[in-house]
Amino acid sequence: MAKIEKESTEKHEGDITCLAYYNNQVFSGGADGKIKIWDNDLNLIKNVDAHEAYIYAMAINERNGNLYSSSCDGCVKFMSPPYQQTEQLFCCEDAIQAMYCDGETLYTGDEKGVVTNWVDDKIKFKYNLVEEVKSLAAEKSLIYTVRDLDVVVSDMIAGKSGKYSNKAVLPGKSPLALVGPVIDDKRTFLAFADRTGKGLSFVKNLPQQKFENVWNLPDCHELIIQAICGDEKCLYSGGYDNKVKGWTNFDQSSPKALGEVEVGSCVNALVCGTNNHVYIGTSDGIVRRATFL
């Protein structure tokens, strides 16, 4: 049965905007410019003054633990374990609204539609995908971006700076997430909100499957979906209806519902932890831990 197990005893001043998870630690970024670090039971470990303004996004390098964060001031910063203070990676005039780490490679997406590929904290390539990037993922040579109408899958052309080809265009809007078992370094499924923002679309992600549709869940939320996360077996979504819902049985024609939890505040961010835990960041500044299994 789905339930809320834990709530943080301290909170951000304003919205929680993004979450990350690494090495049994939960990272929450907020509109207050702070990054708070929690243990699995949501006891506060550390509070870091990361940015002077609203934090848009975070991404974590799973290999070395570096945590990247972006703000509405156009700056991207990073912290290395044990996360004492931030260092500036770069600043620009355009807000970086989405970030993603594929292994040790960082991708940043801005409001002008430029996705930048970073290796060893240095720019490798820039890709001008034209449309504002609200949600972002990447695997191998593929970049997944979305704004409000279409999910665009772009194939980076090896050895050609900034060159790419469109692999697929799928009707949908932000947010998106790569989920399911990993086969040959690729997640098996891609999940994203449909164009109404209140339903979910679920497609195959392996190269030979050409992004075939698996299932759709129209109007599975009463209001706009703000956040999606998933692991090998389960998918979770939450949004303006103050609810987080879970599904499993990815490879079936329709998924099995795992139930829902009511959190009493708009859901802005989700991240999967260990032991089937899902961490929820909301507009009231509180982090919650839920379980659906």
Side-chain angles (χ1 to χ4, degrees), residues 202-255:
F202 200 75
V203 302
K204 296 178 181 178
N205 185 53
L206 297 180
Q208 66 273 20
Q209 296 171 329
K210 299 180 180 179
F211 304 102
E212 296 172 16
N213 187 70
V214 182
W215 43 257
N216 296 292
L217 292 175
D219 297 319
C220 58
H221 282 266
E222 297 169 21
L223 298 172
I224 299 296
I225 295 168
Q226 285 277 86
I228 296 175
C229 76
D231 54 22
E232 288 78 7
K233 295 181 179 179
C234 300
L235 174 70
Y236 307 96
S237 60
Y240 282 105
D241 59 4
N242 301 348
K243 296 175 181 177
V244 178
K245 302 186 179 187
W247 290 271
T248 190
N249 290 2
F250 286 168
D251 54 355
Q252 303 298 313
S253 57
S254 62

Side-chain angles (χ1 to χ4, degrees), residues 2 11 29 35 49 106 119-122 145 149 156 177 195 209 260 267 269 272 288:
K11 64 181 184 177
I35 293 176
D49 292 321
L106 171 69
V119 178
D120 295 328
D121 295 334
K122 297 179 177 62
T145 56
L149 289 175
M156 298 174 284
R195 282 182 174 174
Q209 296 171 329
E260 63 182 56
V267 178
C272 293
R288 295 169 174 85

Side-chain angles (χ1 to χ4, degrees), residues 11 14 22 38 68 85 124 129 145 187 217 225 273-274 283:
K11 64 181 184 177
Y22 174 76
W38 318 81
Y68 298 90
Q85 61 184 18
K124 186 176 181 183
L129 303 180
T145 56
R187 290 284 184 182
L217 292 175
I225 295 168
T274 56
S283 291

Side-chain angles (χ1 to χ4, degrees), residues 68-102:
Y68 298 90
S69 57
S70 67
S71 171
C72 62
D73 60 9
C75 290
V76 171
K77 298 183 179 182
F78 70 95
M79 290 190 289
S80 300
Y83 310 112
Q84 298 292 348
Q85 61 184 18
T86 58
E87 297 180 53
Q88 186 168 296
L89 182 62
F90 74 97
C91 272
C92 63
E93 295 181 356
D94 303 312
I96 305 297
Q97 299 181 128
M99 297 195 294
Y100 190 85
C101 278
D102 179 30

Side-chain angles (χ1 to χ4, degrees), residues 11-13 17 28-36 47-51 53 55 58:
K11 64 181 184 177
H12 286 266
E13 297 176 9
T17 56
S28 60
D32 54 8
K34 299 182 187 300
I35 293 176
K36 295 182 183 291
N47 185 46
V48 180
D49 292 321
H51 294 267
I55 296 176
M58 295 190 300

